[in-house]
Amino acid sequence: MSFSSLVQDLALRDSGASSRRPRDDVSTTSTMDDRASRMSHPSRAMSYASTSATSVSISGEISSQLHGGYAHPLARTWQAERQLTKSMLIYPLFISDQDDEEVLIPSLPNQYRRGMNRLVPFLETLVHKGLRSVILFGVPMRQGTKDALGTAADDPQGPVIRAIRLIQQRFPHLFIVVDVCLCEYTSHGHCGILKADGSLDNGLSVDRISDVARAYAKAGAHCVAPSDMNDGRIRAIKLKLIEEGIAHSTLLMSYSAKFSTCLYGPFRDAAGSAPSFGDRKCYQLPPGGRGLARRAIHRDINEGADVIMVKPANAYLDIISDAKDIGKHLPVAAYQVSGEFAMIHAGAKAGVYDLKAMAFESTESILRAGAGIIISYFTPEFLDWLTY
Ligand SMILES: NCc1[nH]cc(CCC(=O)O)c1CC(=O)O
Ligand SMILES: [Zn+2]
Ligand SMILES: [Zn+2]
């Protein structure tokens, strides 16, 4: 049989099939019974046999038939290398030093800044729905708490250390990540200690940041995640965890590829961490700097990071893919940041798309790029939307 007559033959058989049932609605109307009867249909079996009998390679008209591979909803899930599950999600919490506070953050839809006394009832509901992990950000609201050294960051009576202890005690199965940075605690709002000329003093900053990380880990954090971007902080933190005898039980997640972006605006509103002068362009990465991100990822792996993070996520999928490629032996995390979340909400509100559909699509694209851990403000919604 010639190739063209084979194709004609297959086309005829196909049109025979479509006389029983319209071809196009396979995905919506096919039932298992329907499927089973088609599978065992003798003419079907013959057409497969005749395909292999001729030495036609799987090309052209035959390999162009893709729809069968994803007609069924289950088959569609098989097309993704990773399925979104509840255990991939980390939920950001803003913890204020005003114990009774529960204040909506205007630029960050449905997100609140909460004091200690509001934490347990709020988390109770989420834990019941399957929440596995949170990332904590401390927000000192009290006047006079901030200084040039960010002293309040590791205050044992400050919101973060108290929240670590409380959460660990009340929700022993919740994995506690703590963001480690000074910008929420410094009077100038930068992510470290400054020199007289206003630039970061890398040595002093790394020393201070690693002390803060050690304090959080000692208080019971399962994971410390430095977001400051000072050079060499991963190594310094790892050494202090080893010195403290807790390196074996503390995960070190590095914000390795953290870009300087306009997408952190709502977070800075929430945490009150906008710099009082200048910007973060000399320590956070320039958005075009793919090579720089690759170098930072390599460096942090060599310095002892257990997980590498890319942030923001959706506009940086190539970086996530690079991270997966460079860090073959490490899990990759991605942070869908405040501005991305606010943007998705704004689009939905403007009628551009359905919020849930976009929440899933944006998250699935992050997984597709290579991340297996996602820090997401959509976590409470996903706990409702996902079954496991
Ligand atoms: N170092 C602080 C920090 N840690 C996490 C975020 C951003 C998170 C978000 O936008 O959701 C920021 C903001 C910044 O660097 O200015
Ligand atoms: Zn910072
Ligand atoms: Zn931070």
Side-chain angles (χ1 to χ4, degrees), residues 1-3 5-6 10 47-58 62:
M1 193 189 286
S2 74
F3 182 70
S5 66
L6 168 70
L10 288 174
S47 75
Y48 291 127
S50 63
T51 308
S52 56
T54 60
S55 58
V56 174
S57 65
I58 302 298
I62 297 173

Side-chain angles (χ1 to χ4, degrees), residues 183-201:
C183 56
E184 295 98 325
Y185 306 96
T186 49
S187 39
H188 45 71
H190 280 285
C191 302
I193 295 169
L194 301 182
K195 294 188 203 171
D197 66 3
S199 66
L200 280 178
D201 185 319

Side-chain angles (χ1 to χ4, degrees), residues 136-137 179-184 191 225-228 255 258 267 273 284 311 335:
L136 310 184
F137 297 93
D179 181 270
V180 182
C181 200
L182 297 185
C183 56
E184 295 98 325
C191 302
S227 65
D228 58 292
Y255 286 73
K258 175 175 176 178
F267 174 94
S273 63
Q284 298 180 350
K311 165 188 178 188
Y335 196 147

